[in-house]
Amino acid sequence: MRARRALLFMPGDDRHKIEKGAALGADGVIMDLEDGVALNRKEVARETVRAALREVSFGRTERLVRLNPVGSGLEEADLEGTLEGRPDGYVVPKVESPDQLAWLDERLAAEERARGWPEGSIRLLAIIESARGILHAGAIAAATPRLEALIFGAEDFAGDVGATRTREGWEVFYARSAVVVAAAAHGLQAIDTVFTHLHDLDGLRAEAEFALRMGFDGKLAIHPRQVAVILNAFTPEPEEVERALRLIAAFEAHQAQGKGAFAHEGKMVDMPMVRAAKRLLARAGR
Ligand code: COA
Ligand code: MG
């Protein structure tokens, strides 16, 4: 699976932001057709996204489009308006049941067959952002092999349960954690919610590091200045890579001597630490 450390949102009706976002080195951009676009601008947004997909050079950045929710009545026009641009994947908001993804899966498979594209090539990322979504997160995570990531949406979730957002985020902690658990149980990536304070980069860094420690693979961005901070938080430092390599070397040497647990640099080491070190190396692309 490709790295998805930083995914940058922009309104789908804003060509300037799409072009700007395409050139920032984010792992992906999410061109929005849902809540970032006014109701009377949906059609303009579909046309803008379709044209951008064909004309803008995104380099290695993944080209994602956020649909309106399946069942909203807008999703069919969203697909019809953007498929021609052949996005790499769709981000599906407010997913509450596996049926919504199963419907999309069939719809996309039919398009892929009709257009001669490899079946299963259009990926899906599902946003879990309601009480029902959290309750059904396990079934949603297993809905289709097209699904590669679960995204946690804290603002909509808080609204749904009647919580008030705070900087500490305890009101969404259970849900945030449930998304990590469901994703891990089904081999999917987990991507953390947006950080809405556009000028507080220290706060963003702290929240991204917190998300990393919880097990998230990446975090959503909503402004260009957030991208580098998030990429940095989810990319291991050279010293961390060195430490992981030393730990694995020591583990292998002890295994050869028939020792499963051993002391290393002042700490007990056994299998879970080795797995963590291997994950860190994978994040570093090693
Ligand atoms: N993607 C790409 N470019 C963006 C951007 C984004 N998300 N947000 C801002 N920019 C660009 C602006 O167009 C501007 O470009 P310019 O200097 O070439 O004119 C530059 O970055 C600086 O922007 P700034 O003036 O600081 O922000 P703003 O007041 O124009 O916009 C927001 C603030 C919040 C409206 C904007 O950041 C945004 O649209 N974010 C994404 C919203 C969204 O998609 N929401 C749905 C998902 S939650
Ligand atoms: Mg939302």
Side-chain angles (χ1 to χ4, degrees):
M1 239 185 288
R2 54 172 303 146
R4 296 195 179 91
R5 297 163 298 179
L7 304 182
L8 175 65
F9 257 121
M10 70 276 301
D13 60 344
D14 191 332
R15 170 80 177 228
H16 176 72
K17 283 181 184 159
I18 296 174
E19 286 179 10
K20 203 169 175 103
L24 292 170
D27 294 316
V29 292
I30 309 176
M31 294 168 264
D32 189 22
L33 301 176
E34 199 214 10
D35 290 348
V37 175
L39 262 182
N40 61 5
R41 295 275 295 175
K42 298 287 184 191
E43 194 46 40
V44 175
R46 291 175 192 126
E47 280 161 25
T48 306
V49 169
R50 179 172 65 230
L53 283 166
R54 301 172 73 126
E55 295 158 12
V56 175
S57 166
F58 290 85
R60 291 153 61 100
T61 298
E62 188 175 31
R63 301 137 66 248
L64 301 167
V65 178
R66 179 165 75 170
L67 301 170
N68 286 281
V70 175
S72 66
L74 298 169
E75 68 277 25
E76 188 55 52
D78 290 346
L79 288 170
E80 273 164 23
T82 56
L83 268 165
E84 205 179 296
R86 198 176 180 179
D88 297 315
Y90 285 102
V91 174
V92 197
K94 303 187 174 73
V95 178
E96 302 201 320
S97 126
D99 301 348
Q100 291 169 302
L101 296 184
W103 175 82
L104 253 180
D105 182 43
E106 273 182 36
R107 180 73 179 72
L108 293 174
E111 287 291 337
E112 286 164 343
R113 280 194 297 274
R115 294 169 191 263
W117 300 340
E119 199 163 327
S121 55
I122 301 176
R123 301 180 274 265
L124 292 177
L125 290 76
I127 314 185
I128 308 279
E129 48 188 344
S130 65
R132 280 173 178 273
I134 292 297
L135 284 181
H136 301 153
I140 291 166
T144 154
R146 232 179 250 285
L147 184 66
E148 295 201 350
L150 296 184
I151 302 175
F152 176 55
E155 310 307 319
D156 278 282
F157 176 79
D160 192 41
V161 301
T164 303
R165 291 288 281 130
T166 65
R167 283 302 187 105
E168 297 73 29
W170 287 112
E171 70 285 355
V172 297
F173 183 75
Y174 167 72
R176 199 177 227 155
S177 188
V179 169
V180 172
V181 173
H186 295 279
L188 308 181
Q189 294 169 336
I191 297 166
D192 192 38
T193 190
V194 298
F195 185 76
T196 54
H197 305 273
L198 295 170
H199 298 281
D200 180 7
L201 296 185
D202 290 336
L204 172 64
R205 180 182 315 279
E207 192 168 283
E209 286 171 355
F210 178 68
L212 170 70
R213 289 196 297 271
M214 283 187 71
F216 281 99
D217 298 284
K219 188 167 174 67
L220 299 174
I222 45 169
H223 190 281
R225 72 170 74 91
Q226 294 189 327
V227 171
V229 174
I230 295 174
L231 283 177
N232 199 281
F234 284 93
T235 308
E237 299 293 327
E239 310 87 74
E240 295 177 284
V241 172
E242 287 308 315
R243 205 179 309 137
L245 287 170
R246 283 201 306 276
L247 187 143
I248 290 168
F251 175 78
E252 282 166 2
H254 283 85
Q255 281 280 309
Q257 298 165 23
K259 286 183 200 146
F262 60 97
H264 175 71
E265 298 180 4
K267 270 187 167 164
M268 190 276 284
V269 169
D270 66 359
M271 207 55 199
M273 289 79 162
V274 174
R275 287 176 66 193
K278 286 187 176 162
R279 283 185 80 117
L280 185 139
L281 293 180
R283 275 200 293 118
R286 299 279 288 254

